[in-house]
Amino acid sequence: MKKIVVLLLLTALCLWQYMRTSVAGDDPFLRSDYSKLRPVKIERVVPSKAVSQLQEIVSEAREKGLKISIAGQRHSQGGHTYYKDSIVLDMTPFNKVLAFDEMAKTITVQSGATWADVQKVINPYGLAVKTMQSQNIFTIGGSISVNAHGRDIRNGSLIRSVESFRLLGSDGQIRNISRIENAELFPLALGGYGLFGVIVDVTLSLTDNEVYEMTSETMTTEAYSDYFLNQVKQNPDIHMHLARISVAPDTFLSEMYATNYRTRPDLPVTDYNQLKLKDTYVLPLKFLFGLNRSFDWAKNAFWDLQRYFLIGRSTILTRNNAMRSESDFMDYNSDTKNDLLQEYFIPVDHFEDFINHMKPILQEEQLNLLNITVRYVNHDEEAMLSYAKSDMFALVCLFNTPLSDAAQARMTHGIRRIIEQLKLFNGSYYLPYAPFPSVEQFRTIYPKAETFFQAKDQWDPQHLFMNQFYDDYRGH
């Protein structure tokens, strides 16, 4: 009976929290992104439906001196998908699968298609995506515009999976872009945040779907680098990996758990390849994560709960299901606060040192850190604005913060202190998020930035394709 009463109380609290934080409908001409920061008035939003329509809009913008911004699911948090008085292209309706070659293991899709759309097509043929974010809700165009990465430790950043794409430039021409054809645009538009034109469609290389056994184990942050190098990277059977660092006050940045995905070639893919539709336990997890935003005791409890349900247990799943949405419980709506991401890349050998330098900053600045996920990214500097300057751990940090000017100023101060520590260890940070780092920090960590912006001037002299990221970091 006690358990039933507790469950009812938790459900009631969850519903109350949801109603308390729900927000009113958006002004259709006031645009922001997932961050809810710096909204501006735009000219209009155009749902994209055909190539000819996109070309007409580019022609109109060129003739009238208008700007164009490009948006997919709008999960970037640094103003990459909108600009003051711009025409915003909503690419999500532009989502057809154009070609699929099972033997060649390639697929060509329009840029508004999501990873879920791709998975639905390729899963019955025993194929899977090489690299993508942990969630499959994002558009392909958006993912290659930020050169995304994920939990696969063998295939690197998304750029390695891209065979070619077509790009609609500011002159109205559609160019085929690959490492051979118009090759100078390949490392610029891929990881170029929509500044070089509209990605029309993309051809991706695929890999085999596999069956994995997912297991987790705990360790200290001090032991993690050696553990990864000797027990994970050197084990050819482990194809995917992630880790989480405790943000609970009792074990703050000192305890971790790692999750590995080992291949199980003895288990046929056909026995497990039905795509899962929804995550389980979303509502209670959403409630618990909500408490995690407000109370230290909830952070301790949430960390203990994660360990209880993962450590010592194993799960059998396919590669495609490992790359399905897992964080609906983190969805958050509030008029006054938001969850904002920052992501830091640190060379594997300096992981412990960076954690030890970041920890006092987080405590002194009283930043409300909700989660740190750790992924591994192979060295890859093909993209002009590459973040993987060596083999690196990516620390994906989720903060909850008020949206007031004063709170954002405090957040900016704290993040810039962290970036200074990154510089000491030749680290980098990810660009799709709120622009807390300074222009000087950006240019130090991304030394090819000026070459990138000069190429922007060359390919788009009218600056037809624009976003707030450009204004923030072109240099003031």
Side-chain angles (χ1 to χ4, degrees):
M1 186 66 184
K2 270 188 178 180
K3 289 184 178 179
I4 294 174
V5 172
V6 170
L7 183 60
L8 289 171
L9 286 171
L10 288 176
T11 303
L13 281 168
C14 189
L15 290 171
W16 172 79
Q17 176 74 7
Y18 174 78
M19 293 173 68
R20 187 173 68 90
T21 59
S22 62
V23 295
D26 293 334
D27 179 340
F29 297 105
L30 189 64
R31 197 74 166 179
S32 184
D33 51 27
Y34 191 84
S35 71
K36 302 179 185 176
L37 299 172
R38 305 186 300 171
V40 299
K41 289 286 185 180
I42 60 168
E43 206 267 348
R44 68 183 187 268
V45 176
V46 179
S48 305
K49 298 176 182 177
V51 174
S52 58
Q53 174 207 26
L54 294 171
Q55 290 177 304
E56 288 170 4
I57 293 169
V58 168
S59 177
E60 177 194 350
R62 191 169 61 247
E63 291 172 5
K64 295 181 178 179
L66 298 173
K67 306 299 183 185
I68 293 175
S69 297
I70 308 162
Q73 296 291 351
R74 296 169 59 198
H75 274 263
S76 296
Q77 300 182 7
H80 303 78
T81 58
Y82 64 99
Y83 193 71
K84 182 182 179 182
D85 298 325
S86 69
I87 300 171
V88 175
L89 297 179
D90 175 8
M91 300 301 294
T92 55
F94 196 71
N95 59 5
K96 294 179 182 176
V97 175
L98 302 177
F100 170 52
D101 190 328
E102 178 188 0
M103 298 304 295
K105 297 182 181 179
T106 61
I107 190 168
T108 302
V109 296
Q110 292 180 327
S111 59
T114 65
W115 294 104
D117 295 327
V118 170
Q119 288 177 326
K120 287 175 186 176
V121 173
I122 66 178
N123 190 68
Y125 297 90
L127 295 175
V129 172
K130 285 184 177 178
T131 301
M132 57 174 275
Q133 299 99 314
S134 295
Q135 293 180 291
N136 64 358
I137 62 172
F138 305 108
T139 63
I140 308 300
S143 293
I144 74 169
S145 292
V146 302
N147 191 21
H149 63 91
R151 63 185 67 179
D152 185 291
I153 63 173
R154 309 297 176 185
N155 284 301
S157 306
L158 181 55
I159 193 169
R160 294 192 184 182
S161 306
V162 178
E163 296 286 321
S164 63
F165 55 95
R166 292 197 301 157
L167 186 73
L168 171 59
S170 62
D171 58 3
Q173 292 188 44
I174 295 178
R175 295 175 175 84
N176 296 318
I177 314 295
S178 70
R179 292 174 176 86
I180 298 172
E181 193 173 6
N182 294 304
E184 64 272 28
L185 277 166
F186 192 86
L188 292 167
L190 211 162
Y193 299 92
L195 291 172
F196 286 84
V198 182
I199 295 169
V200 177
D201 45 58
V202 185
T203 299
L204 298 167
S205 60
L206 305 170
T207 190
D208 292 328
N209 200 9
E210 302 173 307
V211 176
Y212 297 136
E213 182 175 6
M214 183 183 79
T215 58
S216 301
E217 53 189 303
T218 58
M219 66 209 60
T220 63
T221 51
E222 181 182 10
Y224 178 66
S225 289
D226 286 341
Y227 164 82
F228 178 83
L229 290 172
N230 297 317
Q231 298 186 45
V232 177
K233 192 177 179 184
Q234 296 302 319
N235 186 341
D237 294 331
I238 299 178
H239 288 189
M240 298 173 68
H241 169 89
L242 64 84
R244 285 198 168 87
I245 304 175
S246 171
V247 298
D250 291 350
T251 52
F252 188 66
L253 302 199
S254 62
E255 188 173 275
M256 300 179 62
Y257 69 81
T259 300
N260 297 311
Y261 300 77
R262 292 178 175 83
T263 57
R264 287 291 303 270
D266 56 311
L267 300 177
V269 173
T270 52
D271 288 353
Y272 297 91
N273 71 338
Q274 183 174 354
L275 292 177
K276 69 175 183 178
L277 299 178
K278 288 186 177 180
D279 296 326
T280 55
Y281 310 116
V282 171
L283 191 59
L285 284 172
K286 187 179 179 73
F287 170 69
L288 290 171
F289 201 76
L291 294 175
N292 192 54
R293 292 182 176 95
S294 302
F295 304 105
D296 282 348
W297 63 263
K299 287 184 171 70
N300 286 323
F302 193 69
W303 179 249
D304 290 342
L305 193 66
Q306 289 180 71
R307 295 177 67 231
Y308 174 79
F309 279 104
L310 287 171
I311 308 306
R313 304 169 190 259
S314 67
T315 302
I316 302 298
L317 74 172
T318 63
R319 181 183 181 89
N320 278 329
N321 278 327
M323 291 178 164
R324 303 288 279 181
S325 174
E326 68 162 13
S327 56
D328 286 349
F329 69 88
M330 292 183 180
D331 287 347
Y332 181 58
N333 290 313
S334 171
D335 290 323
T336 58
K337 294 183 177 182
N338 202 10
D339 294 344
L340 299 181
L341 286 164
Q342 294 286 291
E343 184 168 348
Y344 310 118
F345 299 90
I346 194 74
V348 171
D349 292 341
H350 292 304
F351 174 78
E352 181 190 355
D353 292 332
F354 178 67
I355 292 293
N356 289 337
H357 281 70
M358 182 170 68
K359 183 175 180 177
I361 296 174
L362 294 169
Q363 293 169 327
E364 290 163 12
E365 299 290 340
Q366 298 183 339
L367 300 180
N368 188 11
L369 181 59
L370 304 180
N371 185 69
I372 304 182
T373 302
V374 181
R375 301 189 182 104
Y376 172 75
V377 183
N378 307 87
H379 177 214
D380 187 347
E381 298 188 72
E382 185 176 12
M384 182 72 74
L385 295 182
S386 174
Y387 45 79
K389 297 186 284 187
S390 62
D391 290 346
M392 302 181 112
F393 288 131
L395 280 66
V396 186
C397 302
L398 183 69
F399 298 90
N400 183 259
T401 175
L403 299 176
S404 66
D405 290 344
Q408 289 301 299
R410 290 195 300 272
M411 188 81 173
T412 298
H413 182 262
I415 297 302
R416 289 184 179 181
R417 287 186 64 191
I418 293 172
I419 299 296
E420 287 302 302
Q421 301 308 308
L422 269 181
K423 288 164 60 178
L424 295 177
F425 301 112
N426 198 30
S428 62
Y429 68 93
Y430 205 18
L431 296 174
Y433 301 129
F436 296 124
S438 68
V439 171
E440 182 276 329
Q441 289 175 327
F442 166 72
R443 290 183 171 272
T444 299
I445 287 176
Y446 286 92
K448 295 180 182 178
E450 187 53 38
T451 303
F452 175 86
F453 289 129
Q454 288 173 0
K456 161 74 173 173
D457 295 339
Q458 174 192 343
W459 287 100
D460 183 13
Q462 193 176 334
H463 289 187
L464 186 145
F465 296 105
M466 286 292 286
N467 56 35
Q468 294 200 178
F469 165 74
Y470 180 94
D471 272 3
D472 289 332
Y473 289 114
R474 178 64 204 251
H476 299 286

